[in-house]
Structure formats: C-alpha cells, structure tokens
Amino acid sequence: MSVRLVLFGPPGAGKGTQAVRLAERLGVPTISTGDIFRANIAGDTELGRQVVGYTSKGHLVPDELTDALIADRLAQPDAADGFLLDGYPRNGAQAAALDALLAADDHELDLVIELAVDPDVVTARLLKRAQIEGRVDDTEDVIRHRLSVYAEQTSPLAEIYVNRGILAQVDGLGEVDEVTGRLLATIEQFTGELPQ
Ligand code: ADP
C-alpha cells in the first residue's frame, strides 16, 4: 500500500510502539527521528556528537540538521512509495520543509494522525519507561521540558492539517493492540484501502 503518513502526539503517547506495528501492516518504512538520533549517539557518529547536547536536555535539534536528515532518508528507495514518519515534523518550519520536499517529487502527505493521550498519563508512562530503558531524557525535569516543547511547538501543527482535511485524532489510551486496531481503522477510513 502506498501511503505517506505522519504520526504525532506527545512524548510517551506510544508513537514508537505503534509506528513499528503500523509500518509492518502497511508495508512502508517507519522513519523515527528520535531513533535515528539515538542510534547516532550510541554509535558516536558526527551527527550523534552534534545532537546529543539537545536531545539529552529535551530541546529540539536545530531544523537544518533534522530537515537534512529527513531529506536524505526520504530519498532512499524504500521510502519511494510511502513512509510513516514518527517524530517529524515537530514545528511549523519542519512542516513547511516536509511539504516542500514532497512537492518537489509531486507528492504530498495523505494523512496525519494525532495520537491523543492525557498529559498525566504520559508523564507516568515516561517515568516508568525510564526505569526499564534508562533513556537519559526520561528524567522528571527533562520530561516536563519535552512536554512543554510539544505543547508550544508541535501540538499547534494539528491546525495546519485540520485545515487541509487530512488530520485524524486517535485515542491513545488502552491496550497496545486496541490502539493499533483504532489506528488501522482510521487509516482504512481515510485511504479507502485495507492494509494487507
Ligand atoms: P519523545 O517523543 O518521547 O520526546 P523522540 O524519540 O521522538 O521522543 O525524540 C527524542 C528527542 O530527539 C527529542 O526530545 C529531540 O531532542 C530530538 N528530536 C526528535 N525528533 C526531532 C525533530 N523532528 N526535530 C528536532 N528534534 C527532534
């Protein structure tokens, strides 16, 4: 299935977990900027060294770096017929950069899904995840900062996509399977295609 999809929602909404499951069902690659940054930090690459000061504090990585990363990744052959973006775009400038990048190939986003979860629930989830995964940005202060960056810079993107008629909201509360089911139903409704 060819679908150009963005999944967004607050830190801790479960985007990463759902993105992997959806991508498998849809047959498109998941592209997660957070995962790419973490892999580069773990591998001590040039990019990793450039971004670690931002990610560890919960600040957004500068747009030039993030936009260039996405341009490279979307140019890979596996993303030619579709993709699922997790964690990008995260502000208005990135949303515009993505539109321009797609338009250059005569493409556009098909659907943007906002995974909605109560802020108290996400904080509790992130603190629990901190004990299991040990992510350096899962401390209480940094979580608070990530949530405020989300509220101020990312959440307003919903309006752009509502106006374009491509935004769907999905409730992120419940069992992982249940949420996946809701997401697949939403995608089917919008695209008119059943993921194989
Ligand atoms: P979460 O959504 O739980 O905060 P992510 O894995 O999506 O986690 O992102 C982790 C960190 O990576 C962010 O706090 C930020 O520093 C950086 N990051 C990820 N995506 C972007 C982006 N699109 N623009 C700028 N920084 C980003």
Side-chain angles (χ1 to χ4, degrees):
M1 166 174 190
S2 155
V3 65
R4 294 182 174 83
L5 187 71
V6 167
L7 186 61
F8 86 108
K15 293 182 304 286
T17 307
Q18 296 297 337
V20 170
R21 292 170 147 234
L22 291 180
E24 216 165 81
R25 281 294 291 273
L26 304 173
V28 295
T30 302
I31 300 172
S32 158
T33 40
D35 282 353
I36 296 172
F37 289 143
R38 278 186 289 279
N40 277 275
I41 292 165
D44 197 24
T45 67
E46 166 83 32
L47 177 66
R49 287 191 289 270
Q50 285 173 310
V51 304
V52 68
Y54 301 98
T55 61
S56 61
K57 298 191 189 81
H59 300 319
L60 291 187
V61 169
D63 292 340
E64 310 87 79
L65 283 175
T66 312
D67 292 341
L69 174 80
I70 285 293
D72 272 1
R73 183 62 189 88
L74 291 185
Q76 302 296 311
D78 66 334
D81 283 334
F83 50 77
L84 195 169
L85 284 174
D86 160 19
Y88 184 93
R90 239 173 163 98
N91 61 26
Q94 292 182 8
L98 177 61
D99 283 341
L101 187 68
L102 295 177
D105 284 332
D106 264 336
H107 292 147
E108 59 183 5
L109 287 177
D110 297 308
L111 176 60
V112 176
I113 301 183
E114 182 177 13
L115 200 56
V117 179
D118 185 272
D120 289 340
V121 172
V122 295
T123 308
R125 278 190 191 171
L126 290 168
L127 287 171
K128 192 170 154 207
R129 183 174 78 186
Q131 295 166 353
I132 301 165
E133 292 179 15
R135 251 175 72 166
V136 292
D137 60 348
D138 277 348
T139 62
E140 211 162 338
D141 277 357
V142 178
I143 289 170
R144 203 170 303 120
H145 185 65
R146 282 156 61 210
L147 286 168
S148 77
V149 169
Y150 180 79
E152 284 159 24
Q153 301 196 45
T154 311
S155 173
L157 297 183
E159 199 185 325
I160 301 174
Y161 300 119
V162 168
N163 291 338
R164 233 186 267 177
I166 58 167
L167 186 91
Q169 267 191 336
V170 170
D171 181 2
L173 273 188
E175 294 297 317
V176 174
D177 279 345
E178 212 176 308
V179 178
T180 308
R182 281 181 213 142
L183 288 164
L184 287 170
T186 303
I187 294 166
E188 186 189 349
Q189 207 182 356
F190 259 78
T191 62
E193 277 183 68
L194 234 190
Q196 314 84 16

